[in-house]
Amino acid sequence: YFFGGYYTVTEAIEKLRSGKFEIDFLMIVAAAGAATLGAWAEGALLLFLFSIGHSLEGFAMGRAKQAIEALGHLAPRTARVRRGGLESDVPVEELVVGDVVVIDPQHIRDSSAASVEEMISRAGGIQLSRNGGPGQSASVLLRGNGAGNVVVLIDGVRFGSATLGQADLAGLSLAAVERIEILRGPGSSLYGADAVGGVVQIITRRGAGGPSVAAHWAVGELQSSEADFSVSGASGDVDYAAGIGR
């Protein structure tokens, strides 16, 4: 009774002092009733199991808290913003409506993002919506607006799915992206009525110099893998770049 009921009794006393009536008090009453009836072993087992449950609950809550804190560390502290034609790094808390967040090539190379949608979702004020696991249709939600209110451009050309009615980013390879610019605010005057939430401009890589070939392959847990192959270059006034990935 002592080892199994110490924690339960202390918890019940603290809750009663604060004016709360919870299950700890009921467990004490049940164990005391069992002892009164002569069922000491059953009462002790009840308190012991209840104490183990309390301990496991505390352990699970601690692990969950650590996981949430770890996610907080992944959130970017600063964002590269273009204001008045100049780019600078500002704290995420200072972002305002109308700012253009820039994800430059260095940021893309240094990140651990595996896809375009994951790269975009790490910018402030953007959430990712995906129908299933990696490779399934994915879209972005900007400043609380649905995917239908966010315009996605690729090299200045509107990008959208004829079946989904919105931009599907799952088919884009991050290896082919040079730069991403995100307008955090209404852009209807320039891009149409469906740009109420904002605009995502994806700029692809351009070929330069002689022919260049690049390949990438990675494997992960749960039998996951990714691979891409690209070729680029330039000849005179013509540049070319092509890639394939899965």
Side-chain angles (χ1 to χ4, degrees):
Y1 267 75
F2 175 78
F3 293 105
Y6 176 78
Y7 180 80
T8 305
V9 171
T10 55
E11 282 286 311
I13 293 175
E14 291 180 3
K15 296 296 175 57
L16 289 174
R17 285 179 177 176
S18 60
K20 297 179 180 179
F21 183 78
E22 297 188 2
I23 193 173
D24 301 270
F25 181 77
L26 296 178
M27 289 297 104
I28 295 174
V29 173
T36 303
L37 296 175
W40 292 87
E42 287 79 358
L45 180 62
L46 173 65
L47 292 176
F48 179 71
L49 294 177
F50 188 70
S51 298
I52 292 179
H54 257 303
S55 301
L56 294 176
E57 180 184 3
F59 175 76
M61 291 295 291
R63 292 293 300 271
K65 182 179 179 181
Q66 292 176 3
I68 293 174
E69 291 176 349
L71 289 176
H73 295 321
L74 294 176
R77 298 290 185 267
T78 61
R80 191 159 190 81
V81 177
R82 186 173 69 240
R83 294 174 178 172
L86 300 177
E87 295 184 5
S88 61
D89 294 329
V90 301
V92 174
E93 296 79 8
E94 297 181 7
L95 291 176
V96 298
V97 175
D99 279 342
V100 177
V101 177
V102 177
I103 304 176
D104 56 25
Q106 186 63 41
H107 190 184
I108 295 176
R109 285 193 296 268
D110 294 342
S111 74
S112 58
S115 60
V116 174
E117 63 266 25
E118 184 178 350
M119 188 76 251
I120 295 176
S121 67
R122 296 185 180 183
I126 296 182
Q127 294 80 41
L128 172 65
S129 174
R130 176 184 287 157
N131 297 324
Q136 303 299 318
S137 60
S139 56
V140 294
L141 290 75
L142 183 56
R143 298 175 52 252
N145 290 272
N149 292 324
V150 178
V151 171
V152 178
L153 306 174
I154 298 181
D155 294 332
V157 179
R158 277 177 172 261
F159 173 72
S161 170
T163 56
L164 297 176
Q166 61 192 35
D168 180 14
L169 302 177
L172 297 178
S173 173
L174 187 60
V177 175
E178 176 74 15
R179 180 185 181 93
I180 302 174
E181 298 181 357
I182 304 167
L183 171 60
R184 302 179 69 258
S188 301
S189 60
L190 294 176
Y191 302 99
D194 52 348
V196 175
V199 179
V200 177
Q201 168 81 286
I202 300 174
I203 302 171
T204 59
R205 294 182 178 179
R206 301 188 61 178
S212 175
V213 177
H216 164 78
W217 179 62
V219 295
E221 298 178 344
L222 303 177
Q223 299 181 347
S224 61
S225 63
E226 64 177 19
D228 58 70
F229 174 83
S230 62
V231 58
S232 62
S235 177
D237 295 333
V238 178
D239 62 81
Y240 57 89
I244 185 173
R246 65 169 299 275

